[in-house]
C-alpha cells in the first residue's frame, strides 16, 4: 500500500509539473515578456515559409519571446545576451542536422520557471512540402531536456531515432524508425517513474534496459504489444 501511495503521488506531481503541456501552451500564447523590449520587428521571421531554416527560426523566436521566465533579473547578463543574440540571429545560430529529405535534428533551448536555460534536441519532419516540429499522438514531445541519438538496435534491421529526456524523477524514451515516411510510427514509447534507462552497446548495437532504484536491470521489449 505504501508503494502504491508513493507511485500515485509521483504520478500526480509529474503530471502537474512536467506533462501539462496544453496548459503551458495556453499560458504562453499571448504572453509579452521582458525580452520583447530588446527586439525589433525587423529581427523576426515570418511564419509562412516552406524553408526549414526560416520556419524553425520563426518557431524558436516565438518560443523564446513567450517562454522566458519572469522577472528579467532571474537571468544573468550572459544568459540574457545569449537569448537576445539568438533571437536577432536565429537563422545563423540554429544547428541543423539533416537526416534525410524529410527529417532533421535541430539543437535549441528550453526554459524553466527558475530562469534556467536548457539545451534540447528537437526532431522536425517534412509533410506535404512543409516542415513541422515532430510530436507523438497526444502532443507529449519534445521531452524536457531531450537528446536525440541515431542508433542500430539489437535484433532490429536499419537505424532508429531515440528521443530521450525527462524531469521531476521521471525519464521518457521514444524510438522511431529512421525513414523517409511522412508518418513515423514509434517502435517504443515509455516513461519511467523513479527509475531510469540504461544504454549498453553490445556487438555494435544498442541494448536498452530499465534500471530500478536497486540498480537491477531489465531489458525493455521492442516487440509489438
Amino acid at each position: 500500500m505504501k508503494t502504491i501511495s508513493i507511485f500515485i503521488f509521483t504520478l500526480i506531481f509529474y503530471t502537474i509539473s512536467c506533462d501539462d503541456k496544453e496548459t503551458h501552451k495556453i499560458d504562453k500564447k499571448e504572453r509579452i515578456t521582458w525580452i520583447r523590449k530588446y527586439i525589433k520587428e525587423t529581427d523576426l521571421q515570418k511564419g509562412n515559409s516552406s524553408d526549414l531554416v526560416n520556419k524553425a527560426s520563426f518557431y524558436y523566436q516565438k518560443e523564446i519571446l513567450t517562454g522566458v521566465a519572469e522577472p528579467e533579473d532571474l537571468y544573468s547578463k550572459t544568459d540574457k545576451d545569449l537569448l537576445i543574440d539568438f533571437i536577432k540571429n536565429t537563422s545563423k545560430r540554429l544547428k541543423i542536422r539533416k537526416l534525410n529529405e524529410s527529417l532533421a535534428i535541430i539543437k535549441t533551448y528550453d526554459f524553466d520557471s527558475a530562469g534556467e536555460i536548457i539545451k534540447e534536441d528537437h526532431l522536425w519532419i517534412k509533410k506535404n512540402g512543409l516542415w513541422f516540429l515532430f510530436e507523438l499522438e497526444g502532443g507529449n514531445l519534445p521531452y524536457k531536456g531531450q537528446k536525440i541519438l541515431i542508433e542500430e538496435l539489437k535484433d532490429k534491421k536499419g537505424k532508429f531515432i531515440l528521443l530521450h529526456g525527462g524531469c521531476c524523477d521521471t525519464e521518457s524514451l521514444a524510438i522511431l524508425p529512421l525513414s523517409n515516411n511522412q508518418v513515423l510510427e514509434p517502435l517504443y514509447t515509455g516513461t519511467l517513474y523513479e527509475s531510469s534507462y540504461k544504454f549498453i552497446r553490445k556487438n555494435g548495437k544498442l541494448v536498452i534496459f530499465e534500471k530500478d532504484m536497486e540498480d537491477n536491470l531489465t531489458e525493455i521489449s521492442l516487440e509489438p504489444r
Side-chain angles (χ1 to χ4, degrees), residues 34-35 38 75-89 93 117:
W34 58 265
I35 202 170
Y38 298 104
Y75 294 91
S76 67
K77 183 181 184 303
T78 299
D79 285 347
K80 286 195 292 186
D81 289 346
L82 182 152
L83 295 174
I84 293 167
D85 174 73
F86 188 88
I87 293 180
K88 291 185 174 184
N89 302 283
R93 299 293 180 257
I117 299 175

Side-chain angles (χ1 to χ4, degrees), residues 19 66 74 93 97 119 137 199 218:
D19 201 33
T66 61
L74 283 174
R93 299 293 180 257
R97 176 187 174 190
K119 292 183 178 181
E137 186 176 345
F199 303 92
T218 304

